[in-house]
Amino acid sequence: MAEPAREYRYQVDRDGRIFHDGTEIVDPAVLRLFLRAMTSTEDGRWLVLCQGERNWFEAPDTPFVIQRLRLAVERGLLQDVELCFPGDYREPLDPRTLETDRDRLFCRVRGGAFRAAFGRVAVQQLAPFLSNTGEGAALVLGGARYPVRPRAVLSNRSAP
């Protein structure tokens, strides 16, 4: 008879910190593994399978929270943005995916598979490069303007 898979439950706070039984997970390798291996189940929950174990994640919005940004700025103009997550997991910003939902700023990550929320520090870093177009906010990046859309506009891409 096969032994049932062990299951663990994790909580992700609004700042992207991951907790198990009230203890924060701080090991960078573990944090990177979680973010790289994260999947979404059919019922919308977040799961990481690792060595036969099921690791379930609960988060207010998303388990992907951008803690800070690496900005490439030339002559005061933003040229490139790299998103930095817990455990020093990084990936480039796709500015075409910027959206707002309630009081938070989001983008898509992992090839568009997941929404990522901008944490407080990341929003503060990005704020100087956001402009008001009269129709809402836009990010000025590499000489182009990328509108920040309300989530309803991207409803067909609103899955995890």
Side-chain angles (χ1 to χ4, degrees):
M1 196 169 184
E3 188 174 315
R6 294 191 321 185
E7 295 194 5
Y8 297 95
R9 304 216 178 279
Y10 297 85
Q11 290 74 42
V12 182
D13 71 10
R14 283 180 60 99
D15 294 319
R17 296 177 304 164
I18 299 175
F19 295 87
H20 174 69
D21 288 339
T23 301
E24 184 176 1
I25 307 300
V26 295
D27 184 296
V30 171
L31 294 168
R32 279 191 305 275
L33 167 75
F34 284 163
L35 293 174
R36 287 181 176 148
M38 186 78 58
T39 61
S40 178
T41 62
E42 287 183 18
D43 60 1
R45 296 186 302 159
W46 297 291
L47 172 67
V48 172
L49 297 173
C50 179
Q51 298 180 345
E53 298 175 346
R54 293 181 184 172
N55 299 281
W56 296 99
F57 292 79
E58 296 175 10
D61 295 305
T62 174
F64 292 88
V65 179
I66 303 155
Q67 294 185 323
R68 65 186 186 294
L69 305 173
R70 287 190 149 190
L71 305 175
V73 180
E74 292 179 14
R75 295 185 295 269
L77 300 174
L78 185 61
Q79 299 300 317
D80 192 42
V81 178
E82 185 177 50
L83 310 172
C84 302
F85 296 88
D88 207 28
Y89 171 71
R90 300 178 192 174
E91 66 175 74
L93 168 67
D94 179 352
R96 300 167 299 170
T97 67
L98 289 168
E99 63 182 9
T100 58
D101 188 1
R102 297 180 305 271
D103 64 339
R104 297 195 77 181
L105 179 63
F106 294 86
C107 67
R108 304 299 294 191
V109 295
R110 301 244 332 258
F114 294 94
R115 282 185 356 143
F118 284 75
R120 288 180 290 233
V121 172
V123 168
Q124 290 172 349
Q125 289 180 282
L126 198 60
F129 304 101
L130 293 169
S131 66
N132 189 341
T133 65
E135 297 177 8
L139 175 67
V140 179
L141 175 65
R145 287 190 187 281
Y146 296 92
V148 179
R149 297 178 178 92
R151 184 173 187 200
V153 174
L154 299 175
S155 60
N156 65 334
R157 298 175 54 189
S158 63

